[in-house]
Amino acid sequence: MEHPKRLEEGLAHETKDKNELFSEKVDKTNDRDVTNHEKEDTISSVNQQKQQQQQPLVKQKAKRVATLDAFRGLTVALMILVDNAGESYPRIDHSPWNGCTLADFVMPFFLFIVGVAIALAFKRIPKKRDAVKKIILRTLKLLFWGILLQGGYSHAPYDLSYGVDMKIIRWCGILQRIALVYMFVALIETLTIKQRQSVVEPDHFTIFTAYNWQWIGGFIAFLIYMITTYALYVPDWSFDHESKRYTVKCGMRGHLGPACNAVGYVDREVWGINHLYQYPVWSRLKACTLSSPGSGPFREDAPTWCYASFEPEGLLSTISAILSGTIGIHYGHVLVHFKDHSERLKQWVSMGFGLLIIAIILHFTDAIPINKQLYSFSYVCFTAGAAGIVFSGFYILIDIWGLRMPFLFLEWIGMNAMLVYVMAAQGIFEGFINGWYYKSPDNTLVKWIQNHVFFNVWNSQRLGTLLYVIFAQITFWGVVAGILHKLGIYWKL
């Protein structure tokens, strides 16, 4: 009820207006509060969505590729098998010259894996300078371990002495080749990041053009290798062996035999023949020994080059090996850009079989023989094609069909590949155990296990050696790698 006097003075409307204004202000304030709450809710929900979107990315970045780990583990296991049982089973050991055996797949498989891993590791490069430093540092680490393990300093597992005469130190080796291929391919991947396409259409040839600098680098390596191999003049050369002087007659170009190839000539000129591998596999050729394809005493009429050194991981052949890393990084690019299983497999399988066909044609037409020692172009195609097919097979079994459990053993080895390589393939762990002997250096725990658990039980040193390698080395270190994985312990370079 309005006050009568205020009604007469006409102030009642003013009061009402003020009340209405106050009410409107309150309503607006409430509306503003509601709006602010809505905005806060909206911002909160957006942040939650961003966090939900970012969380899978973080997990995906930290997540390892099971197929790649399993393939790496398989390659390490193959290396242990052929290195330690190859002498008893020459058919799985390195081919003495032309041809390809189980052992000849190991090195190109490693380089293929390196290429795939580079594509995954460098798909995002926040700072180019930091990435280059990381590449150089990892390369130096690999070179150091390669020279230490294969340069002659370590004589494990059965020779307890250490040290190497610098006059005969071996500069090349498995890790050295991996280091140089890694550096070349990774630097191209890093330095050409601005030329990359962020989105690649699901077309068969687009993935090639998107990373054309990688293929240009591989093609340059191919040209250097082919021109040098077929155009470089190889003169006569001499070497000393057991206080005798031998001379090998050459004077030719484009020869692909053991004696006068350009690959060996380049290494003799760059490193010196005393710094090359002293036990080349060509010594198992029929021209050198009657025990071929196994090792044995040289024939009386053996050619002089049978006694010479040769570097299977030499300079010119490492330039050719860059192609293995280039093909591997292509498979990694497909894995990064194509999300559909069928698209990935179409790219991988078609290229794998294509490379195999090229290699078979080149080899059986005698155009370019498959040769691991020379790391010939046909050898690159054959082994890279095989790597692509095996990788695709693992991908189908593990990622598509979900059969991960049967391959966990290989995954564990693959996640700690460096540790297993050093301890098992290079015999460092067995060398450590052999250092604790009883009365005689021949009376060790390793020798006791070999004799009493494997050789005597099976009444065969040949079969016992194979079983020892499978169970006491590969299986043992697979279990150790699994335990270390559970503990989160890895040897990373």
Side-chain angles (χ1 to χ4, degrees):
M1 185 72 182
E2 300 287 354
H3 194 278
K5 189 174 181 179
R6 296 186 68 85
L7 283 172
E8 291 176 0
E9 294 175 353
L11 297 176
H13 293 288
E14 183 181 351
T15 305
K16 183 178 180 180
D17 292 340
K18 287 182 179 180
N19 290 335
E20 288 177 355
L21 288 173
F22 178 76
S23 177
E24 289 175 0
K25 287 181 180 180
V26 172
D27 291 340
K28 287 181 180 180
T29 303
N30 291 335
D31 291 341
R32 192 180 297 113
D33 291 339
V34 171
T35 304
N36 289 335
H37 284 303
E38 289 177 353
K39 288 182 179 180
E40 290 176 359
D41 292 340
T42 303
I43 293 172
S44 177
S45 63
V46 170
N47 290 334
Q48 288 178 358
Q49 289 177 359
K50 287 183 178 180
Q51 290 176 358
Q52 290 175 355
Q53 291 175 354
Q54 290 174 356
Q55 283 176 356
L57 290 176
V58 173
K59 290 181 180 178
Q60 187 176 359
K61 185 177 180 181
K63 183 180 178 182
R64 299 183 66 96
V65 179
T67 298
L68 187 61
D69 283 330
F71 189 26
R72 187 187 294 110
L74 173 67
T75 306
V76 174
L78 282 179
M79 171 180 278
I80 298 171
L81 177 66
V82 299
D83 283 356
N84 298 336
E87 187 175 352
S88 299
Y89 294 86
R91 295 296 179 184
I92 68 172
D93 202 353
H94 290 289
S95 175
W97 198 245
N98 291 339
C100 191
T101 64
L102 187 62
D104 295 321
F105 287 101
V106 173
M107 172 54 75
F109 276 17
F110 271 128
L111 298 178
F112 177 91
I113 292 166
V114 167
V116 177
I118 289 172
L120 298 175
F122 293 97
K123 60 183 178 182
R124 293 185 184 89
I125 304 175
K127 294 183 179 180
K128 188 184 296 185
R129 181 177 296 180
D130 292 343
V132 172
K133 288 181 180 179
K134 180 180 178 181
I135 292 168
I136 299 300
L137 181 60
R138 180 168 290 182
T139 300
L140 293 175
K141 289 179 180 179
L142 286 168
L143 290 173
F144 168 77
W145 282 107
I147 294 173
L148 183 67
L149 293 170
Q150 291 195 303
Y153 182 83
S154 171
H155 305 155
Y158 299 115
D159 190 341
L160 300 182
S161 63
Y162 290 90
V164 60
D165 185 352
M166 294 300 293
K167 291 183 178 180
I168 59 172
I169 187 173
R170 182 187 177 197
W171 295 114
C172 301
I174 295 171
L175 292 181
Q176 294 93 310
R177 170 167 286 176
I178 292 175
L180 296 177
V181 172
Y182 165 79
M183 181 182 69
F184 185 87
V185 177
L187 283 177
I188 293 179
E189 188 77 353
T190 302
L191 298 177
T192 60
I193 184 173
K194 292 183 178 180
Q195 284 75 36
R196 292 190 203 172
Q197 296 180 15
S198 57
V199 179
V200 177
E201 297 295 330
D203 179 76
H204 195 79
F205 297 101
T206 306
I207 191 68
F208 290 92
T209 58
Y211 291 91
N212 55 353
W213 282 106
Q214 284 289 359
W215 292 107
I216 291 173
F219 182 69
I220 291 173
F222 166 76
L223 283 181
I224 293 173
Y225 173 81
M226 294 297 288
I227 292 173
T228 307
T229 298
Y230 288 95
L232 183 64
Y233 178 79
V234 180
D236 299 344
W237 52 283
S238 302
F239 64 96
D240 296 321
H241 178 74
E242 295 181 353
S243 302
K244 293 183 180 180
R245 187 73 173 173
Y246 295 90
T247 299
V248 180
K249 297 292 183 179
C250 290
M252 60 184 71
R253 290 184 175 88
H255 186 66
L256 300 180
C260 302
N261 59 80
V263 172
Y265 175 64
V266 169
D267 289 326
R268 290 191 296 271
E269 292 297 310
V270 173
W271 312 114
I273 194 168
N274 292 331
H275 298 283
L276 307 184
Y277 185 54
Q278 298 179 3
Y279 309 100
V281 295
W282 70 28
S283 63
R284 296 191 284 110
L285 284 169
K286 290 182 179 179
C288 298
T289 178
L290 295 174
S291 302
S292 180
S295 301
F298 285 154
R299 302 163 53 123
E300 293 183 0
D301 59 344
T304 54
W305 50 262
C306 291
Y307 300 91
S309 300
F310 180 83
E311 184 52 68
E313 275 80 42
L315 181 60
L316 187 57
S317 55
T318 296
I319 293 176
S320 177
I322 290 173
L323 281 171
S324 295
T326 303
I327 295 170
I329 201 171
H330 170 74
Y331 275 69
H333 291 153
V334 172
L335 187 63
V336 170
H337 290 286
F338 295 90
K339 304 306 178 184
D340 184 66
H341 293 317
S342 61
E343 286 293 333
R344 288 174 174 174
L345 289 173
K346 183 172 68 174
Q347 294 275 346
W348 291 340
V349 174
S350 60
M351 186 172 191
F353 279 111
L355 290 170
L356 287 175
I357 292 171
I358 292 172
I360 291 171
I361 292 173
L362 291 174
H363 180 74
F364 286 101
T365 57
D366 292 328
I368 303 177
I370 295 175
N371 190 298
K372 191 268 179 187
Q373 307 305 310
L374 301 178
Y375 220 98
S376 63
F377 178 65
S378 57
Y379 172 74
V380 172
C381 293
F382 188 73
T383 53
I389 298 301
V390 174
F391 184 77
S392 301
F394 270 46
Y395 182 79
I396 293 172
L397 294 172
I398 296 174
D399 285 280
I400 297 180
W401 293 354
L403 299 176
R404 188 174 180 180
M405 184 64 68
F407 300 97
L408 277 178
F409 183 78
L410 295 178
E411 276 190 55
W412 294 338
I413 296 177
M415 285 187 278
N416 243 321
M418 186 64 182
L419 175 72
V420 179
Y421 167 76
V422 172
M423 294 298 176
Q426 293 300 310
I428 299 300
F429 180 74
E430 287 185 358
F432 172 77
I433 298 299
N434 285 334
W436 306 86
Y437 57 85
Y438 183 72
K439 293 184 178 180
S440 170
D442 293 328
N443 190 18
T444 66
L445 178 61
V446 173
K447 291 289 185 68
W448 187 92
I449 292 174
Q450 288 176 340
N451 292 325
H452 293 84
V453 179
F454 294 97
F455 298 164
N456 296 341
V457 170
W458 297 97
N459 197 28
S460 170
Q461 185 169 352
R462 188 167 180 261
L463 178 59
T465 299
L466 178 62
L467 295 176
Y468 173 79
V469 172
I470 292 174
F471 292 103
Q473 292 183 327
I474 297 175
T475 304
F476 172 78
W477 282 105
V479 173
V480 171
I483 295 172
L484 294 176
H485 169 61
K486 296 298 182 182
L487 297 175
I489 300 174
Y490 307 98
W491 183 345
K492 297 181 180 180
L493 291 178

